[in-house]
Amino acid sequence: MATLARPTIINDLPDVILSNIIAAVSDVRSRNATALVCRKWLVLERATRTSLTLRGNIRDLFMLPTCFRSVTHLDLSLVSPWGHPLLSPRAASSDGGDDADSVLIAHLLRHAFPIVTSLIVYARSPHTLQFLPVQWPHLKYIKLVRWHQRPQLASGDEFNLLFQGCPQLGSLDLSTFYCWTDDIPPALELNPLVAGNLTVFNLMNASFSEGFKTDEIRVITKCCPNLKELKIACMFDPMYIGFVGDEALVCISTNCPKLTVLHLADTSTLSNCRADPDEEGFTTDDAKFSVSTLIEVFSGLSLLEELVLDVCNNVRDSGPALEILNTKCPKLRSLKLGQFHGVSMPIGSKLDGVALCQGLKSLSIRNVGDLDDMGLIAIGRGCSRLAKFEIQSCKKITMRGMRTLASLLWKSLVDVRISCCKNLGASSSLKALEPIQESIQRLHIDCVWDSVEEIENLNGVEYGFDLNKTNGGEASTHGNGFGDTFGSMDDDIMFNRNKRCKYDYDLNRVCMEDNGHGNGFGGRTWDRLQYLSLWIGVGDLLTPLAAAGLEHCPNLEEIKIRVEGDSRLWSKPSERAFGLSTLSRYHKLVKMHLDCGDIIGYAHTAPSGQMDLSLWERFYLFGIGTLNLKELDYWPPQDRDVNQRSLSLPAAGLLQECITLRKLFIHGTAHEHFMMFLLRIPDLRDVQLREDYYPAPENDMSTEMRSDSLSRFEAALNRRQICD
């Protein structure tokens, strides 16, 4: 009797091919599931995993995994208890025995992960830099993390320890490492070989009070001539001695001609504080570098692919310098400008300034006081490959200009941020983006709710410009009016075979007919929107979000909400709840960042007629249990007078109602008995308190931060049985 041939299964593939397939899987949970299929797949998964983030408690060294022998990128910055020294002698010891403990832990990590070349570590103590990096002599990339205060050491001592143990270091990231600016130059001068090997240096740190000055930038760029990426927080304000001006900019281009990524930002621009939308965009003083200097710098950096110049003072008449970027920096793909004026001042149909940078795929402009709708339209015409566009604090921009830009870039634009623009509230921003609502994937808007009258006007307004007319109002179909915008667009934009478009002398008023399927520009469906970011003022409600234009987002997976303001100016909110329950209409929403860290209030007893922060937390978290969230990052509000950002009892009670949560990260502190509420979430697997804000509290003896309390909670969490 003939037997049927066994069907071919994936396990029949040669091990080399199967190993390559498993190596191509990047999602962590998918890799974990792969390892559970069979013994063979487990071995292949462990052998091909190259990146690992440790989340266990440093006390449980017996649980340190030793099967990930191929890991080259190791992240130790999230080891529990978060923020406590990974390697540090105890103060009670005087015999030096604890140095041996630090060395032992470092050796155990090297034994478990022998070929690490990339390391991220929370370096609260200098012992971490002394004993840990030296275990891997081939380290090429290091990112240091520290939100706590700097140890009392001489300038540069910590970095001397690091450089002496990492002779092959090529990339150093200090963007979240609390230190002083004068720690960097002395260490580079004392270690010229390491400094000469550096190709990536990130010094864009929000904790710097003043930023790097001209002398410090000169030393850094002179010691690191092979840099390809440099990100540095500067002091551009001419009120300060040593401010960054012509000399510093020329030093960068002269000493580091190989740069492909250059970020220069004033420290004042790194904060999250929202600007006043009523400001004109001009400052009292001008920046102390000229347009001719910018032209010289751009001419010397011909390899630039990404450029950020975010200053705090006026850079006037910058158009000619930006035009040079197109010819001198042909590889430029990403550009961010802050406080630059004259970036786009078209005359008739002639493009100028940044609009001539035709290769740009990402453009961000902030505080451009003279940018109007016509300048914005010129950018849309010239930068036709833009996939990402951000506009902030541009008072003259209206919905008409933004909508025209979206219409011109409807093929490529998928990521848009509109912030702090007086004429672009929530409804008007969403109305302006209707031409790309079927393709946009990432969006940020301000939740400044337009009045009923304004919304009615939006529905009936004839928005847009007649692009077939010149500035003088005469019709034109040829070269000297905006009518040549139509001529430069592809025929499939004008006469799409699948969707017949009628441009009623207005690029914005597009009437879409899609043969009975789809939504057209006038619909309310944002089919591909996956990420949504919102800013909202304290006391305002989230409930008008759907009515503003975001009624249906079938693929929205992640949302970030940042609330900002002084709650002490409010007696109480107008409603009982903020409105998180309205987000239940987004059925695929699984990840949320709720940032109330910029809410200022009373942590303890509030004055008569005022609400303390616990009641504000109840207001903002009420209804969160109705959402099917898998991951939640939550920043509690703060009382700056006592430097307290702590989870309250009402907040803990409401968070326990999120029964679908698997990951919960609280960016603040909490009492141990409040944390125990969270054990009632059945599938919760990963919880951590992170004081990742400046300055992080130093008092580890309170019940909110004591490592023993955190360890007891984690032990109780790990004892539970999880169904999957």
Side-chain angles (χ1 to χ4, degrees):
M1 186 174 180
T3 58
L4 295 175
R6 182 178 67 86
T8 302
I9 59 176
I10 192 172
N11 255 358
D12 294 331
L13 291 173
D15 287 354
V16 175
I17 297 177
L18 187 58
S19 176
N20 290 334
I21 293 174
I22 294 177
V25 179
S26 58
D27 179 67
V28 175
R29 292 207 70 197
S30 298
R31 293 191 67 95
N32 293 340
T34 300
L36 296 175
V37 172
C38 62
R39 178 73 181 178
K40 177 181 178 181
W41 284 35
L42 171 65
V43 173
L44 291 176
E45 194 281 327
R46 295 296 188 257
T48 57
R49 185 176 294 210
T50 59
S51 179
L52 188 69
T53 300
L54 287 186
R55 277 284 292 107
N57 197 304
I58 194 61
R59 297 181 177 184
D60 302 326
L61 287 175
F62 67 94
M63 298 181 65
L64 186 67
T66 58
C67 55
F68 299 100
R69 311 292 291 179
S70 300
V71 166
T72 57
H73 174 77
L74 181 63
D75 188 349
L76 300 175
S77 64
L78 302 178
V79 171
S80 291
W82 185 92
H84 289 258
L86 181 63
L87 307 178
S88 177
R90 292 186 291 271
S93 175
S94 59
D95 58 1
D98 286 292
D99 279 354
D101 293 342
S102 298
V103 173
L104 175 61
I105 294 173
H107 276 287
L108 288 174
L109 289 169
R110 183 188 63 181
H111 175 73
F113 312 103
I115 60 172
V116 170
T117 59
S118 174
L119 178 67
I120 304 177
V121 62
Y122 197 101
R124 185 171 178 180
S125 164
H127 282 74
T128 302
L129 299 179
Q130 180 180 359
F131 296 118
L132 189 59
V134 72
Q135 303 299 323
W136 296 286
H138 300 294
L139 269 180
K140 298 183 182 301
Y141 169 86
I142 291 183
K143 179 178 180 178
L144 301 181
V145 181
R146 180 169 67 203
W147 299 87
H148 291 83
Q149 294 293 327
R150 174 188 178 277
Q152 298 299 317
L153 298 173
S155 296
D157 281 0
E158 283 186 295
F159 295 108
N160 284 331
L161 294 174
L162 174 65
F163 293 154
Q164 291 169 7
C166 301
Q168 298 185 26
L169 188 63
S171 176
L172 180 58
D173 188 341
L174 303 178
S175 58
T176 53
F177 184 72
Y178 185 89
C179 60
W180 295 342
T181 56
D182 53 5
D183 285 329
I184 312 297
L188 294 175
E189 290 180 314
L190 289 176
N191 299 273
L193 293 179
V194 176
N197 290 333
L198 283 178
T199 58
V200 179
F201 206 178
N202 190 343
L203 296 169
M204 194 66 71
N205 196 318
S207 70
F208 294 148
S209 58
E210 295 183 358
F212 288 90
K213 309 289 182 61
T214 295
D215 292 341
E216 295 165 333
I217 292 176
R218 184 190 302 110
V219 172
I220 292 172
T221 55
K222 184 178 180 179
C223 292
C224 308
N226 295 313
L227 284 177
K228 294 182 179 179
E229 296 186 19
L230 176 61
K231 302 178 181 179
I232 186 166
C234 306
M235 173 50 66
F236 285 102
D237 192 343
M239 299 285 290
Y240 288 80
I241 298 175
F243 65 88
V244 173
D246 293 319
E247 181 183 355
L249 295 182
V250 172
C251 277
I252 292 174
S253 63
T254 303
N255 295 334
C256 303
K258 300 178 183 179
L259 283 174
T260 60
V261 176
L262 176 61
H263 291 198
L264 302 177
D266 191 86
T267 51
S268 63
T269 67
L270 302 179
S271 64
N272 286 329
C273 296
R274 186 172 186 265
D276 184 359
D278 290 322
E279 291 182 353
E280 297 294 334
F282 294 94
T283 57
T284 305
D285 300 319
D286 292 346
K288 297 302 181 181
F289 54 84
S290 62
V291 172
S292 59
T293 297
L294 290 176
I295 293 175
E296 180 181 354
V297 171
F298 297 157
S299 301
L301 299 175
S302 60
L303 301 178
L304 271 184
E305 299 176 9
E306 186 175 324
L307 175 63
V308 172
L309 290 174
D310 201 354
V311 301
C312 61
N313 299 97
N314 302 318
V315 182
R316 300 183 185 272
D317 302 321
S318 61
L322 299 177
E323 293 175 8
I324 292 295
L325 281 173
N326 186 47
T327 56
K328 299 298 184 181
C329 306
K331 296 183 179 180
L332 189 67
R333 296 294 178 264
S334 177
L335 177 63
K336 181 177 181 180
L337 301 172
Q339 214 68 50
F340 276 62
H341 308 294
V343 298
S344 180
M345 306 287 288
I347 301 176
S349 62
K350 184 179 179 180
L351 302 178
D352 72 337
V354 73
L356 293 177
C357 298
Q358 301 176 0
L360 286 180
K361 294 184 178 180
S362 174
L363 176 62
S364 174
I365 47 181
R366 180 187 66 85
N367 280 0
V368 183
D370 54 7
L371 181 66
D372 58 12
D373 287 339
M374 285 300 181
L376 192 64
I377 294 170
I379 292 175
R381 293 171 57 215
C383 305
S384 58
R385 301 172 61 186
L386 282 181
K388 179 179 179 180
F389 180 71
E390 177 180 359
I391 186 167
Q392 179 181 349
S393 300
C394 294
K395 186 177 181 180
K396 294 183 178 181
I397 298 299
T398 68
M399 185 197 67
R400 297 181 176 186
M402 192 66 209
R403 187 180 177 94
T404 307
L405 176 85
S407 299
L408 291 166
L409 300 174
W410 71 275
K411 278 188 171 182
S412 60
L413 198 58
V414 295
D415 188 345
V416 179
R417 293 181 59 89
I418 303 174
S419 177
C420 203
C421 295
K422 183 177 182 180
N423 298 313
L424 290 172
S427 298
S428 53
S429 295
L430 295 173
K431 196 74 175 178
L433 297 176
E434 281 181 355
I436 59 170
Q437 71 177 34
E438 293 182 352
S439 59
I440 189 171
Q441 299 174 14
R442 298 176 65 88
L443 172 64
H444 170 88
I445 60 172
D446 290 346
C447 293
V448 178
W449 308 121
D450 301 299
S451 64
V452 176
E453 294 79 5
E454 289 174 326
I455 294 176
E456 290 177 351
N457 291 336
L458 290 179
N459 292 330
V461 71
E462 292 188 2
Y463 23 79
F465 299 92
D466 186 351
L467 298 187
N468 297 306
K469 296 182 179 180
T470 62
N471 293 339
E474 298 178 359
S476 174
T477 58
H478 299 289
N480 59 353
F482 274 105
D484 65 350
T485 300
F486 288 158
S488 65
M489 298 175 69
D490 295 336
D491 291 339
D492 61 343
I493 300 178
M494 294 296 299
F495 303 102
N496 192 296
R497 293 183 179 180
N498 297 324
K499 297 183 178 181
R500 297 184 311 174
C501 305
K502 179 183 177 183
Y503 292 84
D504 189 16
Y505 295 100
D506 183 352
L507 190 58
N508 294 312
R509 295 180 57 197
V510 185
C511 303
M512 302 295 291
E513 298 179 8
D514 52 8
N515 301 326
H517 61 275
N519 300 288
F521 287 177
R524 292 282 184 170
T525 300
W526 303 74
D527 292 327
R528 297 187 182 181
L529 188 64
Q530 299 175 2
Y531 172 87
L532 177 63
S533 173
L534 304 172
W535 177 93
I536 189 167
V538 66
D540 292 338
L541 302 177
L542 189 63
T543 47
L545 182 64
L550 287 173
E551 291 179 348
H552 188 45
C553 304
N555 293 303
L556 183 63
E557 299 176 354
E558 182 178 354
I559 189 169
K560 180 177 181 180
I561 303 173
R562 188 169 76 88
V563 190
E564 181 182 356
D566 192 343
S567 66
R568 296 170 297 185
L569 304 177
W570 290 70
S571 57
K572 63 178 182 178
S574 58
E575 300 289 343
R576 180 187 181 188
F578 173 55
L580 287 181
S581 58
T582 60
L583 301 178
S584 59
R585 69 177 62 243
Y586 310 128
H587 302 298
K588 289 190 177 182
L589 183 63
V590 294
K591 188 173 183 179
M592 174 184 286
H593 292 243
L594 181 57
D595 187 355
C596 298
D598 290 316
I599 298 178
I600 305 170
Y602 301 102
H604 305 295
T605 304
S608 177
Q610 297 283 333
M611 289 172 42
D612 61 27
L613 290 180
S614 65
L615 298 180
W616 280 104
E617 282 196 276
R618 182 172 66 182
F619 167 72
Y620 281 107
L621 289 172
F622 190 86
I624 195 171
T626 63
L627 308 179
N628 296 319
L629 297 177
K630 300 292 185 182
E631 299 182 26
L632 175 63
D633 283 73
Y634 175 60
W635 286 258
Q638 62 174 314
D639 187 336
R640 292 180 179 174
D641 293 337
V642 294
N643 191 27
Q644 183 170 351
R645 193 188 305 236
S646 180
L647 190 73
S648 65
L649 176 60
L654 290 168
L655 288 176
Q656 72 173 351
E657 297 178 1
C658 300
I659 60 175
T660 59
L661 273 184
R662 294 189 65 90
K663 295 183 179 182
L664 173 60
F665 303 118
I666 300 171
H667 300 261
T669 62
H671 292 285
E672 182 180 357
H673 56 287
F674 291 171
M675 295 291 291
M676 292 301 177
F677 284 24
L678 305 178
L679 297 177
R680 301 175 186 178
I681 303 176
D683 294 329
L684 192 62
R685 289 293 296 132
D686 195 358
V687 183
Q688 195 168 48
L689 297 179
R690 300 175 182 173
E691 303 144 34
D692 49 358
Y693 50 90
Y694 296 113
E698 292 287 340
N699 182 12
D700 294 339
M701 295 306 296
S702 73
T703 57
E704 294 178 284
M705 291 166 286
R706 197 163 50 206
S707 60
D708 290 341
S709 302
L710 299 174
S711 299
R712 283 193 294 268
F713 168 77
E714 288 182 346
L717 183 69
N718 293 331
R719 283 195 299 266
R720 303 183 314 155
Q721 294 294 325
I722 304 298
C723 62
D724 61 349

